[in-house]
Amino acid sequence: MNGEFDLLIVGGGMVGASLAHALKHSGLRIGLIEAVPLHDDSQPSYDARAIALSWGARRIFEGIGIWEAMAQEGVTPIRTIKVSDRGHFGAVRMNAAEEGVDALGYVAEAAVIGRALAPGLADLSNVELFCPAKLTDIVIDEAAARVTIEHEGSVRELSARLVVAADGGRSTVRERLGANTFSLGYGQTAIIASVVSDHPHANIAYERFTESGPLALLPNTAPSWMTGAEDGERRWSLVWTVHDHEVEEHLALDDAAFIARLQKRLGRRAGKVLSASPRSSYPLGLKFVRDHVRPRLAFIGNAAHLIHPVGGQGFNLGLRDVAVLAEVLVDAARAGNDPGSMESLRGYARWRRSDYLRVMGFTDGLARTFSSDFLPLVVARNIGMVALDMLPPARRLLTRQAMGVNGR
């Protein structure tokens, strides 16, 4: 290919690579720009994080021909979700059998998703890879978007009718173009680890609300080729929300002290916690681009929105961006329309807006409501949880939200 494209995807992580696969039969000429070698151990998108995948995410991956490879690499089904409020009576239980599906969702290591997505990129006939490459400039005018990159020791200028920013929460495209964003902080940080208990996980996920924020324990049987495979179904992925001022203390704890504190927060739902991996952390907040489309430009994934991890909605929201944008671009190509025109992109913006608002409202509301110890609010939220658990239609709405199948 020459330096002119229909579409330039900036970012070859999980979201950007998924979009390239989704458009492999579109006939569009695509360039994919990624800063880190796709098969390099330093590739941050395909590390040892556990990713919660909704049932809807499975359907999208099936649609783009990736799910079978992921399932063979190793994913763990979530068949039951149990939600509780520490120290209070409220609880909600959701299960796959009520929905007539095999699983409400899945847990996959980011490395598993990478092993399914990355190797096939080089085989996509309509995609040219610029990897590793550094984006140094981007200019958008009425006719095209013009991108300057450093690639293989030289400077190259590329042009496209549309640039898709899929370059994550610290998006270079977003910063260089001065995109208008909205941000809120929670004063919370997520501590991430793998833990092993004395009980098998039985494909149950726990979401427990505590005074410092939600604590999620997800079933995560390690693939046979990964460290931790020997622990089988006793392995879990932990996402523990703590106040910012508590982070250093938690990270400094030795394993025994960390496990003891975790056990006190969690109770014995997952059995006795026997071991924990080295911990990492990341600050939590809400951030989104106010105008996630403009002429010649669209934002997707974390470049468009960062949300609280409660409910495991983040990557699933980005994957729905991929599905919708791919459909909009294919329709534009079939009709002979310019994929970078606002006429084409408004369809993407309209379709995604209601999902953004619903998910952001859902996660932000949960994070704030369940972090408060204001007694009337505590009583109200626990009554609400009991009502949800006792009323199947209401519980089904919550379940479908968790499954990622609400809305269009």
Side-chain angles (χ1 to χ4, degrees):
M1 294 183 182
N2 56 28
E4 297 183 357
F5 297 89
D6 296 308
L7 172 66
L8 279 173
I9 303 171
V10 182
M14 291 187 290
V15 171
S18 294
L19 181 61
H21 280 280
L23 292 170
K24 60 190 171 187
H25 300 308
S26 66
L28 296 169
R29 294 166 297 152
I30 300 170
L32 178 64
I33 302 167
E34 169 55 37
V36 181
L38 293 178
H39 303 290
D40 195 289
D41 289 340
S42 65
Q43 170 55 258
S45 291
Y46 304 139
D47 57 18
R49 288 170 299 149
I51 306 297
L53 301 174
S54 66
W55 175 258
R58 169 182 172 162
R59 292 172 60 183
I60 293 169
F61 277 129
E62 285 176 334
I64 64 178
I66 294 298
W67 179 254
E68 184 176 349
M70 285 176 54
Q72 289 176 353
E73 289 287 347
V75 299
T76 305
I78 299 174
R79 297 195 169 96
T80 303
I81 300 174
K82 296 184 177 181
V83 184
S84 60
D85 192 4
R86 181 173 180 260
H88 304 288
F89 58 87
V92 180
R93 298 162 185 81
M94 296 170 274
N95 65 76
E98 285 189 349
E99 298 298 320
V101 294
D102 175 64
L104 298 173
Y106 302 84
V107 180
E109 303 282 341
V112 165
I113 300 175
R115 287 166 71 115
L117 285 172
L121 288 174
D123 299 327
L124 302 181
S125 60
N126 65 326
V127 176
E128 182 174 355
L129 297 179
F130 299 95
C131 177
K134 179 182 178 182
L135 185 147
T136 59
D137 196 19
I138 178 169
V139 177
I140 297 178
D141 58 33
E142 184 177 344
R146 308 182 196 283
V147 174
T148 304
I149 63 172
E150 294 177 0
H151 179 241
E152 295 182 340
S154 62
V155 176
R156 292 197 59 177
E157 292 188 356
L158 311 174
S159 67
R161 295 195 287 171
L162 173 65
V163 167
V164 176
D167 51 344
R170 298 179 180 178
S171 169
T172 300
V173 174
R174 190 180 64 213
E175 298 306 315
R176 284 197 167 271
L177 293 177
N180 189 12
T181 60
F182 175 82
S183 302
L184 284 175
Y186 294 107
Q188 297 175 333
T189 295
I191 295 177
I192 310 300
S194 295
V195 301
V196 177
S197 72
D198 63 349
H199 288 181
H201 56 60
N203 302 106
I204 299 172
Y206 295 97
E207 184 95 47
R208 187 152 172 79
F209 293 100
T210 75
E211 56 271 25
S212 65
L215 186 158
L217 200 61
L218 307 176
N220 188 11
T221 303
S224 58
W225 46 267
M226 182 175 284
T227 300
E230 65 277 7
D231 297 315
E233 294 189 354
R234 296 182 298 113
R235 182 175 182 263
W236 310 74
S237 286
L238 170 70
V239 183
W240 184 359
T241 305
V242 301
H243 296 302
D244 287 345
H245 66 269
E246 300 173 323
V247 176
E248 293 305 320
E249 177 192 357
H250 279 72
L251 294 180
L253 293 171
D254 62 28
D255 285 355
F258 180 82
I259 289 169
R261 190 170 295 190
L262 171 62
Q263 194 83 68
K264 184 177 179 181
R265 282 284 195 280
L266 182 64
R268 293 283 180 166
R269 286 161 178 77
K272 182 180 179 181
V273 179
L274 303 176
S275 64
S277 71
R279 278 81 71 189
S280 59
S281 65
Y282 65 91
L284 303 180
L286 171 67
K287 185 173 186 176
F288 64 90
V289 177
R290 291 184 182 273
D291 297 312
H292 56 282
V293 298
R294 62 174 76 172
R296 311 283 166 211
L297 177 66
F299 292 95
I300 64 174
N302 284 353
H305 42 70
L306 287 167
I307 61 174
H308 198 288
V310 61
Q313 296 290 311
F315 175 64
N316 298 290
L317 190 64
L319 195 58
R320 294 198 292 274
D321 290 346
V322 167
V324 173
L325 184 59
E327 185 165 332
V328 166
L329 293 180
V330 167
D331 287 346
R334 288 173 177 167
N337 295 331
D338 181 350
S341 69
M342 285 304 292
E343 179 184 1
S344 298
L345 296 176
R346 281 194 189 99
Y348 167 71
R350 284 195 298 266
W351 194 342
R352 297 301 297 132
R353 185 173 295 112
S354 61
D355 193 17
Y356 284 179
L357 294 175
R358 181 172 57 248
V359 172
M360 288 179 183
F362 174 70
T363 56
D364 185 70
L366 285 178
R368 295 184 187 280
T369 300
F370 283 91
S371 296
S372 173
D373 58 2
F374 181 54
L375 184 58
L377 183 57
V378 171
V379 173
R381 75 194 184 205
N382 278 267
I383 291 173
M385 292 174 72
V386 171
L388 277 173
D389 198 50
M390 295 179 64
L391 298 172
R395 187 175 65 247
R396 189 161 191 261
L397 285 175
L398 179 64
T399 303
R400 291 181 64 80
Q401 179 66 50
M403 293 173 64
V405 293
N406 268 344
R408 182 177 175 185

